Amino acid sequence: MTTLSPDAVAPAAWLKAAGRPWRRLAMLAGLLTVADVAPAIGFAAGLAMAISNFGDGLAAAAPWLALAVLSLIARALIGQVAVVVGARLGRAVKTQVRGRLLADLFGRGVRSNDRLTALVEGVGALDGYFARFAPLRLAAGLSPLLLIAAAAVASPVAAGVLLFTLFPFIVGMALAGTAAAGESRRQFQALERLSGLFVDRIRTLPAILAFDAAAPTTDRIAQASNELERRTARVMRIAFLSSGVLEFFSALSVALIAVYCGFNLLRLLPFPVPEALDLPRAFFVLALAPEVYQPLRRLAAAYHDRQAAEAAAPSLVTPPSIRRSHAALGDLAPAIRFRNVAIAYDGRAPVIRDFDLDVAPGQIVALMGASGAGKSSLLHLLLGLAPLTGGEVEIGAARLSVDGDVAGRIAWASQQPVVVPGDLAHNIALADPVSCPGRVAMAARTAGLSGDLNRRIDERGGGLSGGERRRLGLARALLKRAPILLLDEPTANLDPASEQAMIAVIAKAARGRTTLIATHSAAVAALADRVVRL
């Protein structure tokens, strides 16, 4: 499926592109809703002729009553088939969009709260658009004209009245849709904020409890919930108001047809008309009049589905920078080139200035230098944790200043790996949550983590020695499928025997990856293909 940037195209264009692979299914759903016109005309004709023939006996009216009943049955069947086809269309589009989001979330490492919200709420908003609104849009454009053409056979004047009264109805729909569009976008953004806030606070619940921040956190979530409630109420208010306006115009238009047909039958019209209606023709036109506006009323009822889908569309698009960077990196170890790179924090003097370095694909480079020389800053730059103040970093075909975050394709082991409450296996699996237990156990064994993987660990790392914490970071790096490996002081504060054992693990982790190691250790530097001193 073609993916489009929300900054480059309108949400409506993205929705059109999302449904393009199922054009035939969408056309079938639309044609089925238009086919509803035939039984509507048949019912109106059968009812009109049956009433006009009741004076000649039930036998004369029976065939026309049968036509009306068969038309009702046919209409019900067509409506049911249209619902089934529309549901299938919505399910197909949702399945593809959800699959792409899951690929971003797990395959490419694009993990953020708004992507999680898009996966659930955003994809769900597509169902109403493709299952209901898209087919009804075609019917709203064709069905009224077909019904007016049928009415024109019986009464050209009544058909002209119906055609004229369509304009205020369409204008009312446009105004209501414009007013609802902005509120729907703001309502979905409020939902994203609340969902992201809730997920973030759940993740950091131990820290919230440790710092006694439960009350402020509760207030913050309550404020976000109230904001969502206000936004939702505004959307519903506009929806009810627009429905009332459209029902008013519909009732007024049908009333005009009823008045015209009644006065024409009684020959009491205060102005001359080029036709004299009889009972069958007058009743036929009167029965068709509500049907002319029915497709538009259905479209108006489903218009909120369109607004919800357009509001959700920007969150369903993979950001261009993420797509470019992952496409440029691929799965093979890339070359990394630093060109006149400068790193400065908060306007201070640069930590790194005019730094140049070419790292070949699959090469292991050791960065050495005194503390504060900028070794860790260079690694943090690739992770998006340090600012690129000057110059450029090229990672394969990607450029850091243009393509942005590439951290999803980097395996990283820091000096103090983050530990979360849970068992050891869960802590290792943070690097790749979809990994099977077998891969997690293999990464643990390769990193030298012996013992029970189900042993409990608290948020302070209780239950792990200093060496095991280092091995935990390396186990995560081994588990993550990434073409780049970054290590920050992997053997610091280890005794010589433990250091040699760790170096063996590092050699396995670096196999087939472009690797940068910030270190003070000569033993680690000996493992590298190249040593760069800062």
Side-chain angles (χ1 to χ4, degrees):
M1 185 186 69
T2 304
T3 53
L4 302 171
S5 167
D7 298 328
V9 297
W14 185 87
L15 291 170
K16 182 178 179 180
R20 189 170 293 128
W22 292 277
R23 287 191 298 269
R24 293 183 179 178
L25 197 60
M27 183 59 66
L28 176 60
L31 290 177
L32 284 171
T33 57
V34 174
D36 181 72
V37 168
I41 295 174
F43 176 76
L47 194 60
M49 294 303 297
I51 290 176
S52 66
N53 284 282
F54 261 122
D56 299 331
L58 185 60
W64 299 107
L65 285 174
L67 174 62
V69 172
L70 290 175
S71 296
L72 284 177
I73 296 174
R75 192 171 193 183
L77 292 175
I78 291 173
Q80 181 60 31
V81 174
V83 169
V84 171
V85 174
R88 186 177 300 174
L89 172 63
R91 183 167 61 250
V93 176
K94 288 194 301 179
T95 299
Q96 176 158 331
V97 174
R98 185 180 287 113
R100 178 172 53 78
L101 289 175
L102 287 171
D104 291 343
L105 195 62
F106 296 117
R108 297 175 179 172
V110 186
R111 294 179 173 87
S112 62
N113 294 337
D114 59 336
R115 305 300 285 174
L116 293 173
T117 304
L119 184 63
V120 180
E121 302 292 343
V123 173
L126 298 179
D127 185 67
Y129 179 86
F130 288 100
R132 292 184 292 274
F133 179 81
L136 289 173
R137 181 171 52 187
L138 178 63
L142 291 179
S143 297
L145 299 179
L146 294 175
L147 290 166
I148 290 174
V153 175
S155 172
V157 175
V161 173
L162 290 171
L163 187 62
F164 177 77
T165 54
L166 278 181
F167 291 104
F169 201 94
I170 295 172
V171 171
M173 286 184 61
L175 292 176
T178 302
E183 289 297 338
S184 294
R185 283 192 295 270
R186 286 187 283 271
Q187 188 252 1
F188 190 81
Q189 289 167 359
L191 177 61
E192 280 189 324
R193 285 194 294 271
L194 177 60
S195 301
L197 181 64
F198 188 75
V199 171
D200 182 67
R201 294 308 183 266
I202 289 295
R203 287 173 175 169
T204 59
L205 190 57
I208 292 172
L209 296 176
F211 287 94
D212 194 22
T217 301
T218 302
D219 292 340
R220 180 84 180 274
I221 293 176
Q223 291 173 6
S225 300
N226 291 335
E227 177 65 17
L228 176 60
E229 181 184 5
R230 287 193 293 271
R231 296 294 183 189
T232 304
R234 291 179 184 177
V235 172
M236 298 305 296
R237 188 182 302 120
I238 293 176
F240 284 125
L241 179 61
S242 61
S243 296
V245 171
L246 297 179
E247 290 294 336
F248 170 77
F249 281 117
S250 175
L252 182 61
S253 302
V254 174
L256 286 175
I257 295 298
V259 169
Y260 168 75
C261 291
F263 276 78
N264 193 306
L265 282 174
L266 297 173
R267 307 295 185 263
L268 296 176
L269 285 173
F271 49 84
V273 291
E275 63 182 9
L277 295 179
D278 54 18
L279 180 60
R281 290 195 297 160
F283 201 93
F284 176 72
V285 171
L286 189 59
L288 276 187
E291 299 294 338
V292 171
Y293 304 100
Q294 187 64 24
L296 295 171
R297 293 166 66 187
R298 290 177 183 170
L299 183 67
Y303 205 80
H304 178 69
D305 293 324
R306 173 190 173 181
Q307 301 301 340
E310 290 187 351
S315 67
L316 299 174
V317 182
T318 303
S321 60
I322 294 176
R323 292 203 305 272
R324 286 196 300 267
S325 62
H326 288 300
L329 280 177
D331 296 321
L332 301 177
I336 302 177
R337 301 176 184 85
F338 295 84
R339 298 281 184 259
N340 299 316
V341 167
I343 302 174
Y345 296 95
D346 299 327
R348 301 174 186 173
V351 178
I352 294 289
R353 179 183 295 167
D354 299 328
F355 179 76
D356 292 287
L357 175 63
D358 287 342
V359 183
Q363 190 176 40
I364 302 175
V365 173
L367 303 174
M368 302 190 70
S371 297
K375 304 184 299 297
S376 297
S377 293
L378 286 172
L379 303 185
H380 291 168
L381 176 64
L382 297 176
L383 292 167
L385 303 177
L388 180 62
T389 310
E392 184 60 88
V393 180
E394 298 175 3
I395 307 171
R399 292 195 302 162
L400 196 61
S401 64
V402 175
D403 298 316
D405 181 22
V406 294
R409 305 298 291 163
I410 296 176
W412 159 248
S414 64
Q415 296 184 42
Q416 294 293 330
V418 174
V419 179
V420 299
D423 55 37
L424 182 57
H426 172 66
N427 272 271
I428 296 173
L430 291 176
D432 189 356
V434 296
S435 294
C436 64
R439 287 193 67 240
V440 174
M442 183 179 296
R445 286 195 302 270
T446 305
L449 284 171
S450 58
D452 185 11
L453 293 182
N454 294 320
R455 56 176 157 156
R456 303 299 297 177
I457 302 170
D458 62 31
E459 64 272 11
R460 296 180 177 84
L464 292 177
S465 65
E468 285 179 322
R469 290 193 68 150
R470 304 283 178 145
R471 292 180 184 277
L472 171 60
L474 286 174
R476 289 172 176 168
L478 286 164
L479 183 66
K480 186 172 183 179
R481 303 177 180 92
I484 300 172
L485 174 64
L486 304 181
L487 305 175
D488 191 4
E489 299 288 359
T491 63
N493 303 320
L494 297 182
D495 59 77
S498 299
E499 183 179 44
Q500 288 302 320
M502 191 70 71
I503 288 174
V505 176
I506 293 172
K508 293 178 182 179
R511 197 172 297 156
R513 307 186 190 190
T514 302
T515 304
L516 295 179
I517 307 174
T519 183
H520 287 98
S521 170
V524 174
L527 174 68
D529 302 312
R530 181 180 175 188
V531 177
V532 176
R533 298 188 180 275
L534 301 179

